[in-house]
Amino acid sequence: MNTHLLKKPTAVAVGKFQDTFVTANGETRASVALSAPKTLWFNTGTLCNIECINCYINSSPQNDALVYLDTDDVTAYLDQLVARDWPVSEIGFTGGEPFMNPQIISMIQTSLVRGYRVLVLTNAMRPMMRPAMKAGLKKLQESYGDKLVLRVSLDHFSAAKHDSMRGAGSFDTSIEGMHWLAETGIKMAVAGRQLWQEDEPTARRGFARLFSRHRFDIDPQDTAELVLFPEMDETVDVPEITTSCWDKLGKRPEDVMCASSRMVVRRKGADAPVVLACTLLPFEPEFEMGATLKEAERDVHLNHRHCAKFCVLGGASCSA
């Protein structure tokens, strides 16, 4: 792949996460190459039917900073995948709430027709449960089976803790949507959050009880079927990742999310979509890579606390 080379500045940054290439103590900042593209994400828009306290990108019923993508946008980037020879196997749709986008069924089908596995992140609430969406999902399941996966956001296995983040009654509404998905035969996964000082085995045991009680066919020990995302508190001090950290931490650049994925968004008022390095940083100018996949093939410098906490130290990835 082509690599766009950035000119390294000579000045040392003052303060953490201030300089693309240099950490606060003058060490070379770690970077990640797009070494094995696996997932192309589409953010269908930041509008959501609810407003969560812990939303990574501040989605809400009012936030339209990222406006709806449409099927033509998706088609254009799927064409670019072929032209650039990216070995992508998965197309992901996230938001906001993807099922608020009126073209989401068409966008999913366009991706499935081309042979991709499709992962949709959803809260499984009212937007997904509208008759047109249910009918569309049912047809897609009948045609493509387990090539379509819906990952439902359940912050915790208890209603009280989940609702403390997402609003009263949201847990029960999501569970209702999950029952419909299960009855329809649509493959499900779950995304939880590690916000309550529970270790991972405790969280997985709690979700195991929930899945068993509702007879959901989800393996709580499978890290793709139950994803547990680390806490993302921007007020907490986190270390910067230098080139020497890989060996010290026993980590590899190719295991970080930006080694295998990119995300397409359309900004409000923009003429065309753009490609971002990361699903978590849609509003950071440094992580906007250009309008094309070719431009998005350059290295990503880990100049944000999310890079450290979520991806490198947390070992998390939005992909399956």
Side-chain angles (χ1 to χ4, degrees):
M1 292 183 176
N2 295 334
T3 301
H4 177 69
L5 299 178
L6 300 175
K7 185 178 179 181
K8 181 176 178 177
T10 56
V12 174
V14 178
K16 287 186 175 181
F17 305 107
Q18 298 298 307
D19 186 286
T20 300
F21 303 94
V22 182
T23 66
N25 63 3
E27 295 185 72
T28 301
R29 186 178 304 286
S31 62
V32 173
L34 184 68
S35 57
K38 169 189 173 183
T39 306
L40 181 62
W41 287 94
F42 293 94
N43 188 301
T44 62
T46 40
L47 286 174
C48 187
N49 56 303
I50 56 175
E51 185 170 3
C52 305
I53 292 173
N54 60 344
C55 183
Y56 291 137
I57 65 169
N58 301 316
S59 298
S60 76
Q62 294 80 38
N63 183 5
D64 62 349
L66 303 181
V67 296
Y68 289 154
L69 292 174
D70 60 31
T71 305
D72 288 343
D73 295 326
V74 171
T75 299
Y77 282 97
L78 296 183
D79 289 343
Q80 289 185 48
L81 285 178
V82 176
R84 299 303 302 166
D85 197 26
W86 284 23
V88 160
S89 58
E90 177 182 71
I91 301 300
F93 292 96
T94 184
E97 170 51 49
F99 288 102
M100 290 186 70
N101 186 312
Q103 295 194 32
I104 184 61
I105 298 297
S106 174
M107 291 189 285
I108 294 171
Q109 183 174 25
T110 296
S111 304
L112 288 167
V113 164
R114 297 202 184 197
Y116 295 106
R117 176 185 187 271
V118 172
L119 177 64
V120 185
L121 310 192
T122 179
N123 56 37
M125 296 176 76
R126 298 303 181 219
M128 188 195 79
M129 294 293 281
R130 289 177 291 169
M133 296 298 170
K134 290 169 68 176
L137 285 171
K138 190 173 187 297
K139 288 181 180 179
L140 291 174
Q141 193 282 328
E142 290 169 352
S143 297
Y144 299 100
D146 286 355
K147 294 283 283 186
L148 172 64
V149 180
L150 269 62
R151 182 192 289 165
V152 180
S153 298
L154 285 181
D155 285 346
H156 197 262
F157 50 83
S158 73
K161 288 182 177 178
H162 174 92
D163 286 0
S164 71
M165 297 289 108
R166 294 178 175 255
S170 59
F171 183 86
D172 288 342
T173 305
S174 290
I175 292 294
E176 178 186 347
M178 292 177 71
H179 274 289
W180 179 82
L181 290 170
E183 291 162 5
T184 308
I186 295 172
K187 185 172 178 59
M188 282 190 293
V190 162
R193 298 285 289 273
Q194 294 181 287
L195 298 171
W196 292 276
Q197 286 71 56
E198 294 169 339
D199 61 22
E200 184 169 334
T202 299
R204 291 192 181 279
R205 286 194 296 271
F207 275 105
R209 292 191 296 272
L210 175 71
F211 299 157
S212 176
R213 184 163 67 250
H214 291 280
R215 298 184 179 180
F216 293 148
D217 185 19
I218 302 171
D219 183 353
Q221 303 307 319
D222 187 321
T223 57
E225 293 193 25
L226 173 58
V227 183
L228 295 175
F229 289 128
E231 181 181 2
M232 299 296 289
D233 185 349
E234 295 202 18
T235 67
V236 174
D237 187 40
V238 297
E240 296 183 281
I241 306 300
T242 69
T243 53
S244 64
C245 286
W246 300 121
D247 288 338
K248 291 177 182 177
L249 295 170
K251 305 277 187 175
R252 305 185 309 161
E254 52 266 40
D255 294 332
V256 179
M257 185 164 57
C258 53
S260 60
S261 67
R262 293 290 186 263
M263 183 169 76
V264 177
V265 306
R266 182 186 286 272
R267 302 196 187 283
K268 187 175 183 178
D271 293 332
V274 292
V275 186
L276 308 184
C278 180
T279 59
L280 302 176
L281 300 170
F283 308 121
E284 300 289 338
E286 182 174 347
F287 292 87
E288 183 173 315
M289 310 193 82
T292 67
L293 296 186
K294 180 180 179 180
E295 293 171 282
E297 289 171 357
R298 60 185 171 89
D299 294 356
V300 178
H301 295 262
L302 304 183
N303 190 28
H304 196 281
R305 62 185 60 250
H306 287 356
C307 304
K309 181 69 182 295
F310 187 92
C311 294
V312 177
L313 300 176
S317 174
C318 293
S319 300

